[in-house]
Amino acid sequence: MLSFPAGTSIIKRVVMDKPPVASTRFGIDSVLASAHARHRDHDDGALADYIPELAAVEPDRFGIAIATVGGKLFEIGDTTQAFTIQSISKAFVYCLALELVGRDEVLARVGVEPSGDAFNAIVFDPHTNRPFNPMVNAGAITVAGMVHDVAGASAFDLILERLSLAAGRDLAMDEAVYRSEAATGHRNRGIGHLLRNVGALHGAVDDVVDLYFRQCSILVTAADIARMGATLAHIGQNPVTGRHVFDLAAVRNTLAVMFTCGMYDHSGNWAYDVGVPAKSGVGGGILGVVNRQLGIGTFSPRLDAKGNSVRGIAAFTEIADELGLHVFDCTNVGSSFVTPLLDP
Ligand code: GLU
């Protein structure tokens, strides 16, 4: 038996010493418990209040869940507390749009470069006139427009159905949050009109922005987003229901954009420290995907100045380090490494 310096992560210990699977599984629960305990009393950050209804959520809620591609769920804290998905929806609707209108049309209308700007920045790529990427509002509204071009008045039902299939249960929209954003979201409407002006949107701006507000108001839990992440990790197939939800190539493209652009103007720091494709939302959720292995969902609604959950970032950083999830971690040896430990 080797001895390890204090703080050596579980996966590093596994690589070096190959402990029995049972102790590793116990270790996953203890990694979640310790991340939850360490960060649950932190109250830095503030609720998003530019959508008035979001200021009404309970600020102290905190849940963490990990769903595996083998169908297991590990969870701690408020993992069944519903919150609005907000920008996390952008990843899934992008995946859907790639399937509906094809990669060429999507790339012609929205780029894949990080913008380095805030999520609601009113800025387009000066060379192409396209929104920089589908994870900022301008890009996401354009993507909603693509779904609207194809599905018209049924577009929201289609989005809700796909997100529900990804989660493995029927999701619903929070009417109060939707109405609150619809009543106050003039900046997004302004972005919509500019998109129409540069030719990125084709249809009626109000209908497209309304669709975008609705997709942002879908209610999920930390366990749901972990499972939705596991569906992406499982190349588009829900690991529990077995349903094929997303096109394989679309999943690859979506994960790439999440990796480079998913955490607003914190995406570079996130790739450096956490190293997994992710998407956050101003409702307080963060979705992470470890390709071919896991989905991770956190919920804590106090946000930093860039719109990311403060406790969510802290928990992800700790869990990724402890479990060796960073894509460039020297212990992350190949895409099937962690899963056998979690799904023996
Ligand atoms: N519905 C929100 C907005 O457009 C989503 C923003 C976010 O989660 O980043 O302002």
Side-chain angles (χ1 to χ4, degrees), residues 50-51 85-88 90 119-120 137 181 188 212-213 216 264 279-283:
Y50 74 98
I51 300 173
I85 191 168
Q86 298 298 338
S87 273
I88 299 170
K90 293 171 180 172
F119 68 95
N120 59 359
N137 287 8
E181 187 167 17
N188 282 327
Y212 170 75
F213 292 153
C216 287
Y264 309 122
K279 184 72 204 88
S280 67
V282 296

Side-chain angles (χ1 to χ4, degrees), residues 29 41 59 102 120 126 136 162 169 172 178-179 189 199 206 213 237 239 254 267 272 282 302 330-331 343:
D29 286 326
D41 295 326
N120 59 359
V136 292
R162 282 302 175 93
R169 74 175 182 99
Y178 159 68
R179 272 190 260 108
R189 282 200 186 85
D206 284 344
F213 292 153
Q237 184 184 27
T254 300
S267 297
Y272 203 89
V282 296
R302 286 198 191 88
C330 63
T331 57
D343 291 310

